[in-house]
Amino acid sequence: MQYAMTDIKYTTANLEDKQDLISLWNTVFEDSIEYIENFMNYNFNSENIIVAKYKEKIVSAYYFIPVNFENHSAYYLYAAATLPEYRKMGIMGELLKYGMNLAQKRKIRFVLLSPANESLYNYYEKFGFKTVFYIKRYLLNLSEYEKISESLSEYNLKKIIDLREKSLADIPHVSFNEKIFEYLISESKLTQSKILISDNAYIYFDENLKTLHIKEYFPFNAIFPKNKAKEVILDLPLNINFEHKYEKIPQGMLIDFENKFNKDAYLGITMG
């Protein structure tokens, strides 16, 4: 495809772009229209959607989702996508530069992301992102552990956030607001994910007939949801000690516009 760099416009989205954005997402990630529209219902804020347009057609985009990190405003960069026929032209790279400049102008301290695969870590490093988010990943046999009933209480967003924040008080971590948890709960109805709480515990997991993947569990006590799966993938923060062999794996990257943050940290929740 022949084009001039001046033909590509980098900007924020507008309300009229919504269908183009849904089409881009569906083409690149192949999620259902229902799933994508549900995301948009909770997260469509045009000034936080960064897009590249070629002759008014959206060819590349990503979303800034407001979060908090180390008591500073931050953006979670999510769902970065470029149409197949516009790849390997440097468009996403320029779009990232545009978004980082915009975040700085808005006095945002951090931008973070969770690369979809290992190769993307090298890609994002080129734009100043550093790997700082890690988890401990355990592979367990579920038959060795007690199982609890799924007849737990209804969602209480404040309780979930309180349990999460208390459990992560002594480790740098990304904090999510009630709106994000509202979205995660709505997303769980369209996927294999579940969010359950009891009087004193919160658990967020994916399940199928073979595997139970626990993404967050606060406070962790090695009692698992009833499940027919035989194995457990258990992800825990670095500050939680569980007497079992684990692998420390990267989960995300960060840009600190003040270049001061240099510790390991915890992301935990990755949408999608």
Side-chain angles (χ1 to χ4, degrees):
M1 178 180 295
Q2 297 297 318
Y3 74 97
M5 288 299 294
T6 53
D7 292 333
I8 305 295
K9 179 182 178 182
Y10 302 96
T11 184
T12 54
N14 55 55
L15 291 175
E16 291 72 28
D17 291 326
K18 192 170 186 178
Q19 289 306 312
D20 262 7
L21 288 163
I22 291 173
S23 177
L24 169 64
W25 186 312
N26 177 251
T27 299
V28 174
F29 299 119
E30 299 182 344
D31 291 317
S32 70
I33 298 299
E34 181 184 19
Y35 178 93
I36 302 165
E37 288 181 341
N38 182 65
F39 172 86
M40 296 291 184
N41 288 339
Y42 284 88
N43 299 288
F44 190 93
N45 180 346
S46 58
E47 68 178 15
N48 286 341
I49 304 173
I50 317 302
V51 300
K53 294 184 176 182
Y54 177 67
K55 296 182 178 179
E56 297 308 310
K57 175 183 178 180
I58 292 180
V59 300
S60 187
Y62 56 81
Y63 299 77
F64 277 155
I65 298 174
V67 295
N68 187 280
F69 182 69
E70 290 290 88
N71 296 314
H72 290 278
S73 296
Y75 283 150
Y76 180 169
L77 191 161
Y78 182 62
T82 302
L83 288 173
E85 61 269 32
Y86 291 88
R87 292 174 186 166
K88 297 184 179 180
M89 298 177 180
I91 294 175
M92 179 55 75
E94 292 301 314
L95 193 60
L96 287 169
K97 293 175 185 177
Y98 177 88
M100 297 310 106
N101 288 333
L102 183 62
Q104 287 182 282
K105 289 178 182 177
R106 293 176 177 178
K107 308 299 182 183
I108 299 297
R109 168 74 184 272
F110 301 101
V111 176
L112 60 107
L113 54 79
S114 180
N117 57 63
E118 189 174 341
S119 66
L120 287 175
Y121 280 84
N122 291 331
Y123 175 77
Y124 286 115
E125 279 183 0
K126 299 175 184 177
F127 302 96
F129 286 89
K130 297 180 180 178
T131 304
V132 301
F133 297 106
Y134 293 90
I135 54 174
K136 294 177 179 177
R137 174 158 291 176
Y138 299 82
L139 299 179
L140 308 172
N141 187 327
L142 189 60
S143 64
E144 299 174 5
Y145 299 93
E146 182 181 354
K147 302 174 188 178
I148 60 175
S149 170
E150 289 186 5
S151 59
L152 304 178
S153 61
E154 294 182 358
Y155 303 120
N156 182 318
L157 299 178
K158 186 178 185 305
K159 183 182 289 186
I160 289 173
I161 292 170
D162 285 348
L163 288 167
R164 190 177 190 273
E165 291 300 312
K166 288 177 182 176
S167 298
L168 294 170
D170 62 347
I171 185 173
H173 65 280
V174 179
S175 297
F176 298 97
N177 57 34
E178 290 190 10
K179 183 178 179 182
I180 291 177
F181 276 99
E182 286 178 353
Y183 168 67
L184 291 173
I185 290 168
S186 72
E187 181 190 70
S188 70
K189 298 174 183 177
L190 302 173
T191 65
Q192 294 180 322
S193 297
K194 286 189 178 181
I195 297 176
L196 301 173
I197 65 170
S198 65
D199 290 338
N200 54 13
Y202 137 70
I203 184 167
Y204 171 38
F205 61 95
D206 289 345
E207 64 177 347
N208 56 49
L209 293 176
K210 181 182 178 182
T211 304
L212 175 67
H213 182 182
I214 297 177
K215 298 179 176 179
E216 287 202 334
Y217 190 0
F218 299 120
F220 176 68
N221 60 6
I223 298 176
F224 300 107
K226 281 190 174 180
N227 187 280
K228 294 181 180 179
K230 294 183 179 180
E231 65 181 14
V232 180
I233 298 173
L234 173 63
D235 295 338
L236 293 177
L238 300 181
N239 67 321
I240 295 180
N241 294 316
F242 178 45
E243 297 300 322
H244 200 284
K245 184 179 179 181
Y246 68 87
E247 180 182 7
K248 179 181 175 182
I249 65 171
Q251 200 190 29
M253 308 181 79
L254 181 81
I255 281 182
D256 174 8
F257 293 120
E258 295 186 7
N259 293 313
K260 295 178 180 179
F261 186 80
N262 58 3
K263 304 175 184 177
D264 286 348
Y266 177 74
L267 173 57
I269 292 174
T270 57
M271 292 184 290

